[in-house]
Every structure is written in structure tokens, then in C-alpha cells.
Amino acid sequence: MGFAVVIAFLALFMLGFPVVYAILLPSIAYVVIEGLPLGLLAQRVTYALDSFPLVAVPLFIFVGNLMNLSGITDRIFRFAYTLVGRVPGGLAQVNVFGSLVFSGMSGAALADIGGLGRIEIDAMKKRGFDASFAGAVTGASATLGPIFPPSIPLIVYGSVTSVSIVQLLVAGIVPAIVCTALLMLTVLVVATIHKHPRADRWPTLWEVGRDFLPALPAVVAPALMIAGMTAGAFTPTEAAAITTVYVILISALLYRELTLDHLWNSAVLTARSSSAILIIVAAAALFGWILAVEQVPQSFAAALLGLSRDPVMLLVIANLIFFVAGMFLDSTTATLLLVPIIAPPLVLAGVDPVQLGIVTIFNLMLGLLTPPMGLSLFLVADIAKVSIRQLLKALLPFYIPLLTTLAILTFAKDLTLWLPRMIAQ
């Protein structure tokens, strides 16, 4: 019966049903057919949302929205342009570097694109960059947000697997920096070949200091957050709440640009985004419970371990599964549906759960840039006013550093794990 539920989900999804309905309808049918009490539906859905770590999700979404509306995003962009605008590629380099800085506050790829990305694409087009190239750089650099702390997808992953969220967030720091370096190197090569514009001169120390000071509160926030969590001063959820208060205070008292309209609009946007995520969390929890009752994960684990017991080979197989899933499902849905099935046999075979978390989330972020369901593709194409075909053509060089990063995370686990291990000592 469990596999029938899975097949029903896939059939409804392929027929174009919204993913929530594709998950819920087979689950409800299972409860009715099996003669289980209908109150079980409400119990499993409510239980899924009764999670302290998940409180961090709407808080970080609120932070990202507030930064976009209160001027913090503009200050990050100005500082990034002053610092790296003279490097070959100019604003394209700013795009990548700015995404790393912004991700330290928002924790979401789409927040990066919708906030800082909108500013960057407009600025690049005004400076003579091709619109499709500007969109490609923006989409590629937005993959940094979900692996650099704070990270909403890593928080969801941690809540599903019971892996330490602090360890996951810390583990994302080095991979994000490596990916940033590879993306900036790619921009440098492409910009040199095509002679893209850049800043006329290198900045003076005074100019760097002038633009660094207004951006400093945003730049230091991730460091303060990580330091507090690793020291045990607060949990990731408490860190999200502290970050929210921090952003409100610097926006109101330091920058003096926060208004009641900003707060209200940020709250409305957050309610919409959070409800979309949390309703999937609730539906997926019911679906996952049914699969657990029918022992589908155990059957899948036996089949997977029958293929190989080598941790690296199993991680490669998992990569293929997540890569394909990312083409069709958003990261939250894929995490909630697939991770409880795939993670146990991999961990049993010796794959580190923290490494698996980073590999999984980064892999699913690549799905945001792959058709047919890549949300980043559609959002970037809309902002840049280009077709998906044009955007994909411009994205081709950037798949190289992104896939290289994924390979490094898969085969060089110490790159991911050395920092969490060092902090844990």
C-alpha cells in the first residue's frame, strides 16, 4: 500500500496538481481506505508544525524581507562594488561577493535574487552588461545563500533528521567560500574573454572605509550569530529571533530608514512565504508517517545497500537522486519527502550526516537553476526580462564551478567537516 501512495503522488504531480494536493490527496485516501480515525490527519499535521527549530524559518524570511525594504541591501551592494568593482568583471564580481555577504542575513536563494539580485541586475544592465549574463550571474551566486549560515534549507534538514543544526550551519561556511571563489574565477575568465566593463580605478582606503562602515552591521551579523551558537549562548531559533531584533534596531536607530510600512509589508510577505513552506512541511509529515508505517524507507534502504556499501558510491547515487528530484521539486518538498528515506541507509553505511546535509542542500539548490521547475530560473528571467532559453545559454559556464563545488563536497568530506570538528573540540 505504501508504494501505491508513492505512485499516486507521482501521478498527481505529473498531471500538474499543486505539490501540496499531490501529497495530501493520496495520504487522505490511505487513511480512509485503511479505516484509520480521521482525527489522525489533524494529529500528524499539527505534530509536524509543533517544532521549535522551525520557528527560525519565518524569522529569517522576515529578516530578508526587512533588509530589502529598509535599505540594508543597498549598503551591502555599495560596499561590495567599492571592494571588488575593479576586478575583471566589475559588477559581475560584485554580484557574487554581495550574494555571500547578503546570504549571511537572509539564508534563502530566492530572497537573494528578489532583493540584492534585483539591484545588481538593474545596475549591470545600466553599465552595459548583457541582460542574460547579468541574470546568469545572479542565479548562480544565489546558490550561496542556502549553504552559508543562516540557512533556511539546512534548518529544515536538521529538523527532519535530528542532526545538530549548529553543526550544519558551521559546516556550510567553508563550502560557501570555496564556491564563491570558483564563481568569481569563472566571472574573471568570461569577463576577460568578452571584455566586460569594470570600475575605472581601484578604490582608495578612504573609499573602502567610507562604504564599509554603513555595511559593517550587516557584515558582522553572521559572525556574531555563529559565535553565539557555537558558544552555547543561544540556539539557532533564538539566533533567528536575535537577528530579527538586531536588524530592526540597526534599521531604525542606525540607518533611520525603518518605517511602520516597512514592518507591515515585511510581515505580510513573510506570512505568505512561511505559510507556503509550512503547509508543505505539514503535508509531507503525514506522507512520511504513512511511508514509515508501510516500511517503505526500510525497503528502499535494503535496495540501496544492495547496490553498494561504499559510502562514497552511495553518496554519488544519492546525488543523482537529489539532482533529478531538484529538477521537479522545490528544496523544502524534496528534503521532507526524500531525506527521511535516503539518509538512514547512507548514514548506516558510514556517510557523515553533516556532510550529507551540505551535499543534499547544495545539490537541491542546483535544481533551482535547472528546468523544468527551476524557481530561480523563472524569477531571474522575470527580473532581467529575458527568455529562459537566453538565460540557460548564459548560465552554461557557471554550471562548471557549481558542479565542481558539488564534486568537492562529495569526495572531500574533510573540507566540510573540519570546521565543525574544530569547534566541537
Side-chain angles (χ1 to χ4, degrees):
M1 187 66 179
F3 286 102
V5 173
V6 174
I7 292 170
F9 159 71
L10 293 174
L12 291 174
F13 180 76
M14 296 303 292
L15 288 172
F17 279 71
V19 67
V20 173
Y21 294 139
I23 296 172
L24 277 178
L25 291 178
S27 302
I28 294 172
Y30 172 87
V31 170
V32 172
I33 292 171
E34 292 294 315
L36 300 174
L38 293 178
L40 183 68
L41 296 171
Q43 180 192 41
R44 300 310 306 180
V45 167
T46 305
Y47 177 77
L49 297 178
D50 185 20
S51 170
F52 184 65
L54 285 179
V55 176
V57 172
L59 289 174
F60 279 128
I61 292 175
F62 181 75
V63 167
N65 289 326
L66 196 60
M67 289 175 65
N68 291 336
L69 295 173
S70 62
I72 296 178
T73 302
D74 296 309
R75 289 174 172 84
I76 292 173
F77 175 76
R78 281 199 296 270
F79 167 62
Y81 181 70
T82 300
L83 196 63
V84 299
R86 177 59 182 168
V87 178
L91 281 173
Q93 301 285 10
V94 174
N95 197 322
V96 178
F97 182 75
S99 292
L100 180 68
V101 177
F102 184 78
S103 67
M105 296 286 276
S106 70
L110 296 182
D112 183 3
I113 294 171
L116 189 64
R118 192 179 298 272
I119 298 171
E120 291 165 337
I121 289 174
D122 289 342
M124 289 178 70
K125 288 166 68 175
K126 289 176 182 177
R127 294 291 181 96
F129 284 88
D130 180 72
S132 57
F133 177 75
V137 177
T138 301
S141 64
T143 57
L144 300 172
I147 57 171
F148 191 77
S151 165
I152 292 172
L154 284 177
I155 291 171
V156 173
Y157 177 93
S159 67
V160 170
T161 59
S162 299
V163 176
S164 167
I165 293 176
V166 174
Q167 291 281 302
L168 287 168
L169 294 177
V170 172
I173 295 174
V174 175
I177 293 173
V178 169
C179 188
T180 300
L182 292 175
L183 285 171
M184 294 183 77
L185 179 61
T186 303
V187 168
L188 187 148
V189 173
V190 174
T192 301
I193 293 173
H194 295 285
K195 295 182 171 53
H196 286 154
R198 55 176 174 165
D200 297 330
R201 58 179 177 80
W202 291 103
T204 64
L205 286 177
W206 182 86
E207 288 171 332
V208 172
R210 177 199 64 193
D211 291 332
F212 174 66
L213 288 177
L216 180 61
V219 173
V220 301
L224 295 175
M225 221 170 5
I226 292 297
M229 287 188 290
T230 54
F234 40 76
T235 66
T237 302
E238 291 166 344
I242 292 169
T243 304
T244 303
V245 174
Y246 177 78
V247 170
I248 291 174
L249 288 177
I250 63 174
S251 300
L253 303 179
L254 183 61
Y255 300 142
R256 299 184 181 277
E257 292 187 11
L258 183 65
T259 66
L260 290 177
D261 282 342
H262 290 154
L263 286 171
W264 173 254
N265 291 332
S266 297
V268 170
L269 291 171
T270 300
R272 290 174 180 169
S273 299
S274 301
S275 59
I277 293 174
L278 294 178
I279 194 172
I280 293 174
V281 170
L286 175 62
F287 190 83
W289 176 80
I290 291 171
L291 297 185
V293 169
E294 293 293 323
Q295 296 190 331
V296 172
Q298 290 87 333
S299 300
F300 183 85
L304 198 59
L305 292 174
L307 294 174
S308 174
R309 287 187 174 270
D310 179 57
V312 176
M313 182 56 65
L314 288 175
L315 198 52
V316 171
I317 294 171
N319 265 323
L320 295 174
I321 295 172
F322 283 118
F323 187 77
V324 173
M327 292 181 178
F328 300 95
L329 299 172
D330 65 90
S331 62
T332 301
T333 304
T335 300
L336 294 168
L337 292 182
L338 296 178
V339 167
I341 298 174
I342 294 175
L346 267 69
V347 173
L348 185 63
V351 177
D352 188 279
V354 174
Q355 180 197 13
L356 179 60
I358 301 298
V359 169
T360 297
I361 297 305
F362 187 77
N363 195 327
L364 292 175
M365 290 308 106
L366 297 184
L368 294 174
L369 293 173
T370 53
M373 303 289 287
L375 296 179
S376 289
L377 282 179
F378 295 114
L379 181 56
V380 169
D382 179 64
I383 294 173
K385 307 302 179 189
V386 296
S387 69
I388 297 295
R389 184 184 296 274
Q390 291 173 310
L391 184 59
L392 282 172
K393 184 178 178 181
L395 265 170
L396 286 177
F398 294 98
Y399 287 121
I400 296 174
L402 293 175
L403 291 174
T404 299
T405 301
L406 180 61
I408 292 172
L409 297 181
T410 301
F411 296 106
K413 70 175 184 178
D414 288 339
L415 181 73
T416 301
L417 299 178
W418 76 268
L419 190 56
R421 287 170 177 168
M422 185 177 69
I423 291 175
Q425 290 176 354

